């Protein structure tokens, strides 16, 4: 795969596909974490005389945070301490003329790529490269740099469509992500512990199944809704309130799948021994084997309990490799952040090589100032797809581009 240092960018127009999709409130971006993650790539390109045209998506159609990239241009301008032009177009004549008029060392950002209908659906590379997006934009760019790891599990024109049209190069963030995830996944060091939490139950089950079958994990610790599904699969009753909630979320159907995983790997999947609920406005911890568990009929589980945190901590402190995705509970409420903070602090303090990902995981790490994790991944879905042993379309596109253009740029 092509790396940044292999190319001469002097006076070249570079399309940089980044993932600056960020949480927004009242039209303002409230976290610049993804912007900061791609700054090294942008600065490198500028220092080497490139004209940088950034493409990103923001939100999904009809969602609250579906917005133009005008605000993204403002945030980037502040971080780079220079003007970043907002181009209110994607690949039309206006955009192409603006790109053609750029000078080396300048940065512009295209309109939200998802304003283009072609960008919303996943299609094979062959179809992506035939899109108007790729045909039109390829007329005014020389090279493509992809630093959008968080979207690497998608196959859309801006992400994979240029692979056989222009050399497609890994940005520094993409390179670091791939190197770190590869190291964790293929490591022979033991024990290798996976911590699966949050609400992406189907993705987490795919990861659990893959790493256990392929001998990549020695133990899986569970939290969040993933834990609830495994607890039900183990035959415990989580009460009417929680079962109804899982059914409303559409994830109760995964209990059978979790059962199949347990049939084959029961001792290697650990579930909480206690949970926390909001009882009359206060955190109350309920042991899974106590009579108090009848409260689960009326109160929703919001976190794992302190005994579970301690048991998980003992496992994590002896690990050599840790992969974690998703919080242990509703960490946004301080009294129910005990599980998430306790587990992530243990990961940070462990001597293990650790990889933690997922938007909510990152948010909780920043919120509670947790330091010491080896690699914090910018991509939740992409990271889970990688550890589920499935191909990431963007990685495949890098390989295809390298095969096509390596003889010209070796």
């Amino acid at each position: 795969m092509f790396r940044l240092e292999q190319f001469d960018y002097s006076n070249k127009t570079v399309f940089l596909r980044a993932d600056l999709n960020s949480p927004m409130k009242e039209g303002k971006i409230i976290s610049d974490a993804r912007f900061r993650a791609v700054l090294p790539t942008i600065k490198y390109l500028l220092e080497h005389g490139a004209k940088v045209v950034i493409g990103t998506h923001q939100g999904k159609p009809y969602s609250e945070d579906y917005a133009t990239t005008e605000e993204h241009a403002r945030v980037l301008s502040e971080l780079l301490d220079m003007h970043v032009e907002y181009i209110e177009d994607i690949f039309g004549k206006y955009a192409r003329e603006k790109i053609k008029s750029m000078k080396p060392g300048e940065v512009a950002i295209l309109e939200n790529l998802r304003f283009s209908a072609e960008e919303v659906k996943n299609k094979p590379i062959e179809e992506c490269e035939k899109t108007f997006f790729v045909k039109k934009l390829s007329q005014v760019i020389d090279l493509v740099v992809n630093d959008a790891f968080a979207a690497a599990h998608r196959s859309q024109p801006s992400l994979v469509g240029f692979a056989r049209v222009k050399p497609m190069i890994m940005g520094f963030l993409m390179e670091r992500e791939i190197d770190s995830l590869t190291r964790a996944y293929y490591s022979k060091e033991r024990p290798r512990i996976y911590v699966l939490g949050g609400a992406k139950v189907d993705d987490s089950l795919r990861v659990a199944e893959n790493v256990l079958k392929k001998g990549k994990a020695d133990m899986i610790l569970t939290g969040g809704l993933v834990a609830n599904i495994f607890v039900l699969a183990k035959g415990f009753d989580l009460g009417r309130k929680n079962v109804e909630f899982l059914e409303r979320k559409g994830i109760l159907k995964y209990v059978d799948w979790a059962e199949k995983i347990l049939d084959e790997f029961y001792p290697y999947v650990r579930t909480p021994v206690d949970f926390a609920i909001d009882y009359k406005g206060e955190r109350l911890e309920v042991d899974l084997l106590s009579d108090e568990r009848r409260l689960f009929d009326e109160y929703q589980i919001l976190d794992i309990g302190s005994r579970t945190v301690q048991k998980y901590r003992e496992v994590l402190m002896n690990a050599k490799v840790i992969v974690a995705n998703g919080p242990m509970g509703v960490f946004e409420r301080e009294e129910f952040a005990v599980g998430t903070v306790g587990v992530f602090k243990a990961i940070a303090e462990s001597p293990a090589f650790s990889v933690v990902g997922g938007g909510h995981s990152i948010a909780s790490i920043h919120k509670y100032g947790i330091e010491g994790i080896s690699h914090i991944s910018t991509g939740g879905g992409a990271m889970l797809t990688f550890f589920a042993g499935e191909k990431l379309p963007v990685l495949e596109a890098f390989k295809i581009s390298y095969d096509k253009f390596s003889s010209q740029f070796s």
Side-chain angles (χ1 to χ4, degrees):
M1 291 187 272
F2 288 125
R3 299 188 181 233
L4 271 181
E5 297 92 343
Q6 291 175 259
F7 289 80
D8 172 19
Y9 299 100
S10 181
N11 207 28
K12 296 283 197 300
T13 303
V14 177
F15 173 61
L16 170 61
R17 177 55 162 103
D19 189 342
L20 305 179
N21 184 28
S22 302
M24 297 186 80
K25 195 171 184 179
E26 294 169 1
K28 297 290 180 190
I29 284 164
I30 54 174
S31 168
D32 64 3
R34 284 188 166 172
F35 290 79
R36 291 180 183 278
V38 296
L39 286 181
T41 298
I42 298 171
K43 287 177 178 176
Y44 181 88
L45 292 169
L46 292 175
E47 283 161 12
H48 289 80
K51 307 167 196 177
V52 182
V53 181
I54 298 171
T56 184
H57 66 279
Q58 174 60 47
K60 292 176 182 172
Y62 303 105
S63 67
E64 244 181 275
D65 55 0
Y66 192 51
T68 74
T69 53
E70 191 169 8
E71 170 73 353
H72 299 66
R74 185 192 64 77
V75 172
L76 262 181
S77 296
E78 283 182 9
L79 291 171
L80 289 168
D81 196 24
M82 65 179 284
H83 175 65
V84 173
E85 182 160 11
Y86 160 60
I87 299 177
E88 201 174 345
D89 188 13
I90 298 171
F91 56 78
K93 191 175 181 183
Y94 178 73
R96 297 199 306 276
E97 290 301 323
K98 279 283 189 184
I99 292 167
K100 277 194 233 174
S101 68
M102 286 175 73
K103 295 179 175 63
E106 291 185 341
V107 187
I109 187 165
L110 298 172
E111 184 54 281
N112 184 348
L113 300 183
R114 285 192 177 159
F115 285 7
S116 165
E118 293 174 325
E119 187 65 16
V120 180
K121 289 191 175 175
N122 285 292
K123 294 287 181 182
I125 281 183
E126 294 75 23
E127 289 187 47
C128 286
E129 70 185 12
K130 290 175 188 169
T131 57
F132 288 104
F133 180 98
V134 172
K135 284 179 183 173
K136 297 280 188 182
L137 217 50
S138 61
Q139 296 169 16
V140 291
I141 61 171
D142 301 303
L143 299 165
V144 174
V145 173
N146 193 322
D147 224 8
F149 176 76
H153 56 310
R154 298 197 173 99
S155 185
Q156 292 164 342
S158 68
L159 293 160
V160 303
F162 293 101
R164 296 189 296 197
V165 181
K166 302 281 178 181
M168 186 167 142
I169 306 152
M170 283 193 292
F172 289 135
L173 172 63
M174 182 73 73
E175 192 177 323
R176 196 168 69 246
E177 290 275 16
I178 293 168
D179 288 350
S180 297
L181 270 59
T182 300
R183 177 181 167 185
Y185 187 69
Y186 290 102
S187 175
K188 297 284 192 287
E189 288 190 276
R190 305 181 72 166
R192 292 153 301 182
I193 310 301
Y194 280 66
V195 183
L196 301 175
K200 291 183 177 175
V201 175
D202 53 340
D203 289 340
S204 295
L205 291 178
R206 287 193 346 258
V207 172
E209 197 166 56
N210 178 60
V211 295
L212 289 169
K213 277 187 175 168
K214 292 190 176 160
K216 303 287 185 190
D218 298 294
M219 190 178 295
I220 288 175
L221 308 178
T222 62
L225 300 186
V226 179
N228 293 4
I229 291 298
F230 271 113
V231 168
L232 289 171
K234 282 184 173 182
F236 292 99
D237 181 11
L238 285 181
R240 185 178 62 252
K241 182 90 172 176
N242 291 287
V243 170
E244 284 172 359
F245 176 75
L246 294 171
E247 194 154 24
R248 277 201 314 277
K249 295 281 283 185
I251 53 181
L252 195 59
K253 62 188 176 189
Y254 296 123
V255 171
D256 289 346
W257 186 4
E259 246 181 82
K260 282 179 189 168
I261 294 170
L262 291 171
D263 284 345
E264 199 171 346
F265 303 104
Y266 188 88
Y268 309 114
V269 180
R270 297 283 173 88
T271 51
V273 294
D274 58 348
F275 292 99
I277 59 172
D278 182 340
Y279 183 68
K280 297 180 179 176
E282 290 189 2
R283 177 186 174 99
L284 175 69
E285 297 194 352
V286 177
D287 195 293
L288 192 58
L289 298 177
S290 73
D291 289 340
E292 278 188 318
R293 73 172 183 270
R294 69 179 184 276
L295 291 169
F296 294 154
D297 279 334
E298 305 297 330
Y299 297 91
Q300 198 175 315
I301 290 167
L302 298 175
D303 193 13
I304 59 173
S306 304
R307 281 210 311 129
T308 301
V309 173
Q310 188 51 42
K311 283 178 178 290
Y312 284 6
R313 182 180 175 82
E314 287 164 16
V315 172
L316 294 166
M317 293 309 287
N318 291 310
K320 287 287 190 292
V321 175
I322 299 169
V323 174
N325 187 285
M328 299 291 103
V330 185
F331 74 92
E332 294 89 347
R333 291 179 60 183
E334 203 163 327
E335 66 271 38
F336 298 105
V338 173
T340 301
V341 173
V343 168
F344 284 168
K345 273 190 175 171
I347 293 170
E349 290 166 20
S350 169
F353 174 72
S354 52
V355 173
V356 177
H360 287 95
S361 301
I362 296 167
S364 58
I365 288 164
H366 288 311
K367 183 175 180 180
Y368 293 97
I370 298 165
E371 293 179 358
I373 292 162
S374 311
H375 177 71
I376 298 172
S377 178
T378 54
M383 178 178 147
L384 288 170
T385 301
F386 181 91
F387 287 113
E390 296 166 19
K391 287 182 176 178
L392 291 172
V394 169
L395 266 62
E396 296 305 302
F398 280 129
K399 292 170 191 169
I400 288 165
S401 199
Y402 183 81
D403 289 344
K404 172 88 191 268
F405 295 104
S406 56
S407 58
Q408 297 173 37
F409 294 93
S410 53

